[in-house]
Amino acid sequence: MRELIVTVKDFEQLASYQQFHTQCSFRINSSHISHAQLDSFLSNYNSTETLKDSPVYIDLQGAKMRLGFNQAEIDIAEGEVVAITTVDEVTTDKVIIIDERAVSFLKQGTVLSIHDGRMIVEVVGQNSVRVLKGGRVERRKGINFQPHPNVPIALSQRDIEFIGICKQYLASNDNIRLALSFSTDKIQLDEIKELIDCHICVKIEKDLSMEKYTELLNNSDSAWICRGDLGAQMGLKDMPKFIYDVAFETARSGKYHFVMAGEVLDGCSFVGHPSRTEICHLYNLKMNGFNGMSLN
């Protein structure tokens, strides 16, 4: 495989991989950092000779819904009714802070999954949900509608400001790239292209019509198949069918640059080396036209 993308949380972690800089690309999730942290990250990256030639992906939130920055860690249990709010501020109340963009899509009976389906809740009132599957709620974890709205969701002001920061550094380093979470429509890509001229990666995280899927591929520079959100959106039964019938079929054409993401080599986190099953999986990806993988 030609591209190994390593996820980092800050420049210190990025710097720890300097010895592998010729073999890796890197990714930082902008949803978990501030404007100042992104600016510092790119400043240090740009001024480090051994790193600045390695591509770095700034992962934008895009249409992906997330819990608030001030979401407290709370445990929710099956059958419990919990309050929801869009007011993103510190509170001692037991409450789930949701993306304000989600409000227009909420109605009685709407089902939301949190953190790639680890928790599931159902809207039962204007400001409350019933827990269908419990767990620990943590800040900035993703929210999935089931199904996700099939309407273009404009870039947030935060994403626009982050693109502006990237643009400042792109002038001296064209290895800075953008990844767009929950890419669903060419309109979103056009919005980015009006702001910046750089490599754009679409993250495929929901079921799309073949027309929309091909449109995204034809208007971007690369594509990541993100199994975490795909699994939450499509279910574990239909997700592999999509990957084999659609993603592999498209990747084998050789026309596009594909990266697999979502628990790739996850077993290494526990035993320090890939299992035989994981090695076979990588070979399967390569033989089906994938160009890279992303590690969290």
Side-chain angles (χ1 to χ4, degrees):
M1 288 196 184
R2 297 203 305 268
E3 187 172 27
L4 171 62
I5 302 170
V6 178
T7 299
V8 297
K9 63 181 181 181
D10 52 32
F11 180 76
E12 286 68 31
Q13 189 175 17
L14 174 63
S16 71
Y17 292 115
Q18 283 193 67
Q19 60 181 312
F20 306 111
H21 71 96
T22 59
Q23 303 164 311
C24 297
S25 301
F26 299 95
R27 163 189 174 260
I28 187 165
N29 192 339
S30 69
S31 295
H32 298 289
I33 59 177
S34 67
H35 297 67
Q37 286 171 322
L38 177 62
D39 187 70
S40 175
F41 176 87
L42 289 176
S43 176
N44 285 313
Y45 159 75
N46 237 19
S47 60
T48 305
E49 290 296 326
T50 54
L51 288 173
K52 68 179 185 180
D53 291 333
S54 302
V56 61
Y57 292 86
I58 311 304
D59 197 343
L60 300 174
Q61 182 173 343
K64 185 178 178 72
M65 306 292 184
R66 288 188 176 274
L67 299 180
F69 279 97
N70 292 299
Q71 175 67 58
E73 288 193 11
I74 58 173
D75 293 312
I76 57 176
E78 183 178 342
E80 184 178 9
V81 175
V82 182
I84 58 173
T85 183
T86 59
V87 180
D88 195 356
E89 61 185 22
V90 176
T91 177
T92 57
D93 296 334
K94 188 170 186 177
V95 63
I96 297 175
I97 304 173
I98 64 170
D99 193 315
E100 62 181 8
R101 295 178 300 171
V103 173
S104 60
F105 304 110
L106 296 182
K107 60 182 180 181
Q108 189 89 8
T110 298
V111 175
L112 304 174
S113 69
I114 301 171
H115 197 180
D116 293 342
R118 289 172 175 82
M119 288 149 284
I120 301 175
V121 300
E122 179 184 8
V123 177
V124 293
Q126 186 173 358
N127 299 302
S128 60
V129 294
R130 177 176 290 110
V131 181
L132 304 181
K133 180 181 178 183
R136 168 150 288 200
V137 178
E138 301 173 300
R139 67 185 295 273
R140 300 303 286 162
K141 295 302 182 184
I143 307 169
N144 275 287
F145 287 79
Q146 297 178 332
H148 199 78
N150 279 316
V151 295
I153 297 176
L155 290 175
S156 67
Q157 183 59 35
R158 191 169 188 273
D159 273 350
I160 292 171
E161 291 165 359
F162 275 26
I163 291 171
I165 295 171
C166 292
K167 189 173 182 178
Q168 295 174 28
Y169 292 97
L170 187 68
S172 58
N173 188 346
D174 61 6
N175 279 311
I176 295 172
R177 302 176 177 183
L178 297 179
L180 181 65
S181 294
F182 262 84
S183 305
T184 57
D185 199 285
K186 178 178 176 289
I187 293 173
Q188 298 162 324
L189 301 178
D190 290 341
E191 191 176 0
I192 292 175
K193 290 174 183 179
E194 287 180 5
L195 299 170
I196 193 170
D197 179 15
C198 71
H199 180 114
I200 301 175
C201 160
V202 290
K203 296 176 67 179
I204 307 300
E205 299 181 281
K206 74 178 299 291
D207 191 14
L208 299 168
S209 69
M210 201 63 201
E211 180 184 4
K212 286 293 184 185
Y213 175 73
T214 306
E215 181 184 67
L216 289 173
L217 296 181
N218 288 334
N219 287 279
S220 60
D221 300 288
S222 61
W224 297 356
I225 303 298
C226 301
R227 294 179 297 192
D229 284 298
L230 266 179
Q233 285 288 313
M234 304 178 71
L236 295 182
K237 178 182 177 182
D238 290 332
M239 178 192 66
K241 188 176 189 307
F242 170 84
I243 290 172
Y244 275 83
D245 293 352
V246 179
F248 279 2
E249 182 72 23
T250 318
R252 284 194 296 268
S253 73
K255 292 173 59 179
Y256 310 105
H257 184 93
F258 274 92
V259 170
M260 182 62 76
E263 297 183 332
V264 179
L265 298 182
D266 202 45
C268 292
S269 303
F270 305 99
V271 296
H273 59 81
S275 67
R276 293 172 180 83
T277 301
E278 289 170 327
I279 293 296
C280 291
H281 173 53
L282 294 183
Y283 184 78
N284 188 33
L285 290 176
K286 181 179 178 181
M287 296 307 294
N288 279 286
F290 269 64
N291 310 98
M293 57 182 174
S294 176
L295 304 180
N296 287 335

